[in-house]
């Protein structure tokens, strides 16, 4: 089976979509699938390159904004596209951008099977344009994605049930399959290390520093926490809001709300695992999130999460108790949850093991098997 992944940028650091593409393709290859990538060239000449490389399309005026959000658009080179589509049995769309529209037209013309993964809500895009949650762009954008790409697929992968409901509500025609993007798991189950809320109390927040990730909710929660003077906030990620959040954290320190300076950094996968194992709580603040595997990757190490809950947050399915949820963007409610876990260390330690065990239900190997079945079904559908 030959599967062509179509993605604008598969090599952005700190971009969940890019990371998912790379990990999924690696898993498919391990299962005997010939998976190849069409995407913009990797800017690192020493790093891996796409099998079908495309040139970088730079948007006038908006390119700096696009770059700081860890994204890059590819030029739709029809010669390269025709070569790639001719090679493949299945064309798999990772987005619904102008590149995918051109690829879709050529794939339809050649009679190729077509599938997709819904990685982004339109709200993700709008947030990066500094638009509010409810704005006139969301509706037209999802209709454009549906009409020009996803309705031309036989099957669409929905990473969570939240995504499936959203696509059904917006009348997507493709067969929708709930398949987590999945995470890599250690061979042996993790034994969660018991922790007491010492000095400092380590709190970890992983994710791109951007508006829709809403890390400012955690920063402002420190104004309401009874234990703010003992808390060390560790933000792992980069993004367009990095400098702003650093200034907010510095202001909290100057005002005496925090006694320990917050830390900001970008870390390797192994470094993130070590941070999670060393932390008392993990906070996931995003108000719009298709799946949020960074949360699952943290709980895999035996840490209790506190997750924002809302209509566009798939991550909330990972919560195993009410104390692990709070209304998204509500800093007072988040502070209450943080304080509750600090005051209940025995419950925290009991739940840490439950979270580590639950993460094993999202084995990427299971996801790969389900994707292979979806691709096989798409090939059969294309024959009819």
């Amino acid at each position: 089976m030959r599967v062509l992944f179509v993605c604008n940028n598969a090599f952005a650091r700190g971009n969940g979509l890019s990371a998912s593409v790379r990990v999924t393709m690696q898993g498919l290859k391990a299962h005997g699938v010939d998976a190849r990538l069409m995407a913009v060239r990797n800017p690192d000449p020493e790093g891996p390159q796409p099998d079908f490389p495309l040139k970088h399309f730079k948007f006038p005026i908006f390119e700096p904004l696009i770059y700081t959000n860890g994204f890059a658009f590819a030029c739709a080179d029809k010669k390269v596209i025709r070569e790639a589509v001719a090679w493949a049995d299945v064309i798999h769309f990772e987005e619904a951008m102008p590149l995918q529209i051109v690829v879709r037209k050529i794939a339809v013309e050649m009679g190729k099977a077509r599938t997709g993964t819904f990685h982004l809500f339109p709200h993700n895009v709008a947030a990066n344009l500094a638009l509010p949650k409810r704005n006139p762009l969301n509706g037209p954008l999802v209709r454009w994605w549906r009409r020009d790409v996803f309705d031309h697929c036989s099957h669409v992968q929905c990473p969570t049930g939240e995504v499936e409901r959203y696509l059904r509500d917006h009348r997507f025609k493709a067969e929708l399959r709930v398949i987590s993007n999945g995470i890599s798991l250690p061979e042996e189950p993790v034994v969660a290390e018991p922790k007491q809320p010492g000095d400092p109390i380590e709190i970890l927040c992983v994710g791109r520093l951007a508006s829709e990730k809403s890390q400012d909710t955690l920063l402002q929660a420190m104004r309401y926490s009874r234990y703010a003077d003992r808390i060390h906030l560790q933000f792992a990620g980069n993004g367009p809001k990095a400098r702003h959040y650093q200034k907010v954290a510095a202001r909290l320190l100057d005002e005496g709300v925090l006694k320990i300076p917050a830390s900001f950094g970008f870390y390797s996968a192994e470094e993130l695992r070590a941070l999670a194992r060393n932390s008392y709580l993990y906070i996931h603040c995003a108000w719009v999130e298709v799946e949020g595997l960074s949360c699952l990757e943290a709980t895999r190490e035996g840490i209790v999460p506190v997750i924002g809950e809302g209509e566009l947050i798939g991550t909330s399915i990972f919560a195993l108790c009410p104390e692990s949820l709070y209304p998204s963007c509500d800093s007072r409610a988040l502070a209450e949850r943080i304080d509750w876990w600090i005051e209940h260390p025995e419950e925290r330690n009991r739940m840490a093991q439950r979270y580590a065990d639950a993460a094993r239900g999202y084995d990427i190997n299971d996801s790969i098997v389900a994707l292979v079945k979806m691709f096989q079904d798409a090939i059969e559908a294309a024959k009819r």
Side-chain angles (χ1 to χ4, degrees):
M1 182 190 302
R2 299 187 296 267
V3 181
L4 175 69
F5 278 68
V6 184
C7 178
N8 277 274
N9 182 10
F11 303 103
R13 297 182 70 202
N15 183 300
L17 190 157
S18 297
S20 174
V21 171
R22 297 193 302 271
V23 171
T24 299
M25 290 186 65
Q26 183 180 5
L28 286 168
K29 291 174 181 177
H31 280 71
V33 175
D34 190 353
R36 299 187 186 182
L37 174 67
M38 180 163 59
V40 72
R41 292 181 184 276
N42 187 344
D44 179 5
E46 304 299 321
Q49 295 293 339
D51 304 280
F52 300 96
L54 298 169
K55 292 181 180 179
H56 181 185
F57 178 81
K58 296 184 179 181
F59 270 92
I61 302 175
F62 295 105
E63 189 59 31
L65 176 63
I66 294 169
Y67 176 80
T68 57
N69 278 288
F71 197 75
F73 284 94
C75 292
D77 184 328
K78 290 188 177 180
K79 181 179 179 181
V80 175
I81 292 171
R82 287 189 177 277
E83 177 188 355
V85 172
W87 166 84
D89 297 317
V90 182
I91 314 301
H92 186 69
F93 301 109
E94 292 287 331
E95 305 140 328
M97 303 296 182
L99 169 65
Q100 282 78 13
I101 294 173
V102 176
V103 176
R104 182 267 298 171
K105 290 178 180 178
I106 293 174
V108 169
E109 175 188 315
M110 292 187 178
K112 299 289 183 171
R114 301 170 301 281
T115 60
T117 297
F118 197 85
H119 279 293
L120 296 171
F121 288 117
H123 308 67
N124 291 98
V125 177
N128 288 308
L129 296 175
L131 295 174
K133 294 180 185 180
R134 301 193 183 280
N135 63 78
L137 179 63
N138 293 336
L141 193 55
V142 74
R143 288 193 292 272
W144 174 48
W145 291 351
R146 183 195 68 201
R147 183 190 68 236
D148 285 354
V149 176
F150 290 115
D151 275 358
H152 298 273
C153 297
S154 60
H155 301 75
V156 172
Q157 176 197 0
C158 303
T160 63
E162 185 66 46
V163 173
E164 182 191 33
R165 287 190 291 275
Y166 181 83
L167 299 192
R168 289 198 187 285
D169 287 346
H170 286 83
R171 301 187 300 279
F172 276 53
K173 296 178 181 178
E175 179 180 328
L176 306 177
R177 295 198 181 180
V178 178
I179 304 171
S180 170
N181 287 308
I183 60 171
S184 300
L185 297 172
E187 290 186 10
E188 296 297 325
V190 169
V191 177
E193 180 182 344
K195 285 186 171 58
Q196 293 298 316
D199 291 314
I201 301 167
E202 297 287 347
I203 291 184
L204 176 64
C205 184
V206 180
R208 192 165 52 86
L209 301 176
S211 296
E212 78 274 21
K213 302 300 182 182
S214 195
Q215 288 95 344
D216 56 334
T217 303
L218 175 55
L219 287 164
Q220 296 305 325
M222 294 300 96
R223 295 189 179 277
Y224 308 110
S225 171
R226 294 185 292 276
Y227 304 95
D229 59 341
R230 294 171 53 193
I231 288 173
H232 174 225
L233 298 177
Q234 174 72 65
F235 293 94
N238 58 21
K241 301 283 282 188
R243 184 171 295 182
H244 171 68
Y245 290 151
Q246 288 166 5
K247 288 181 178 178
V248 173
R251 191 179 309 126
L252 291 172
L253 190 68
D254 291 341
E255 294 174 5
V257 175
L258 294 177
K259 300 296 185 183
I260 305 166
S263 299
F264 293 81
F266 189 83
Y267 303 95
S268 67
E270 183 51 48
E271 289 170 333
L272 286 174
R273 287 192 287 271
L275 283 173
R277 289 191 294 268
N278 189 52
S279 297
Y280 189 79
L281 291 175
Y282 173 88
I283 312 298
H284 200 85
C285 302
W287 62 263
V288 53
E289 191 86 81
V290 162
E291 188 169 23
L293 289 182
S294 60
C295 178
L296 201 58
E297 288 166 343
T299 61
R300 171 190 60 194
E301 304 303 322
I303 183 174
V304 169
V306 181
I307 304 165
E309 184 178 26
E311 61 179 344
L312 296 170
I313 308 173
T315 320
S316 57
I317 64 169
F318 302 144
L320 300 178
C321 60
E323 291 77 18
S324 279
L325 291 171
Y326 74 97
S328 67
C329 302
D330 187 334
S331 54
R332 286 182 184 270
L334 175 55
E336 290 174 4
R337 290 294 187 236
I338 290 171
D339 289 357
W340 190 91
W341 286 109
I342 291 173
E343 292 166 358
H344 295 81
E346 291 185 3
E347 183 66 6
R348 182 265 173 211
N349 292 333
R350 184 182 75 84
M351 290 302 298
Q353 187 60 58
R354 281 194 62 196
Y355 274 107
D357 295 340
R360 299 193 71 83
Y362 293 88
D363 188 340
I364 191 171
N365 290 306
D366 295 336
S367 300
I368 296 300
V369 170
L371 283 175
V372 170
K373 177 65 165 59
M374 185 180 81
F375 294 145
Q376 290 171 338
D377 291 346
I379 291 172
E380 290 303 313
K383 293 177 181 177
R384 294 197 288 268

